[in-house]
Amino acid sequence: GDQLRHEITAASYLHTDDTPVTILEERGGSRKGRLWTYLDPLGQQVVFDATETHERDGPEAFLASFCGDLHADAYTGYDALYATGRIREIGCWAHARRGFVEALTTDVRAALMVALIQQLYQVERAGAELPTDARRALRAEHSVALLAKIAAERDALAQTALPKSPLGD
């Protein structure tokens, strides 16, 4: 366990996510714990860590020696890690997209963001089988402009969307 944790946290780029698990109590009943996945896609290793809660101290302890890029969802428990400067946050487009899809029920302006993110996905599909350098060139040619459009649209929406609305959120 410790050797695998050491190897995974020696990487410079990790993916992480968590899922709830049911913990059965000795005296009956149950509570929710978490199973955390830490994936080094370049070294092709994965380590799982179980915690009794969804508190941030689980990832903080596991990632105490990690320095690099962390691809994760928007769980606020990672924020203290990002604040150290040792770890750079790499966001997840699927989670970002989900928020805009949910906002569609109350604000049609979310449709443009969903469409722009879909175009990013199309670039990724087109480059999925390409060698690394060709995929990088494809992204430079297409994704950089899309990301600029997404940022501009986000900034424009932030000026008019109510902060506590689904779109503002």
Side-chain angles (χ1 to χ4, degrees), residues 136-154:
R136 184 177 293 119
L138 183 71
R139 288 173 175 161
E141 182 181 348
H142 299 287
S143 297
V144 171
L146 283 169
L147 291 169
K149 278 179 154 178
I150 288 169
E153 183 63 20
R154 178 205 57 217

Side-chain angles (χ1 to χ4, degrees), residues 100 107 109-110 113 152-162 167-168:
F100 289 109
D107 197 323
R109 294 177 298 167
M113 292 298 277
E153 183 63 20
R154 178 205 57 217
D155 292 346
L157 288 171
Q159 300 298 313
T160 57
L162 296 173
L167 185 59

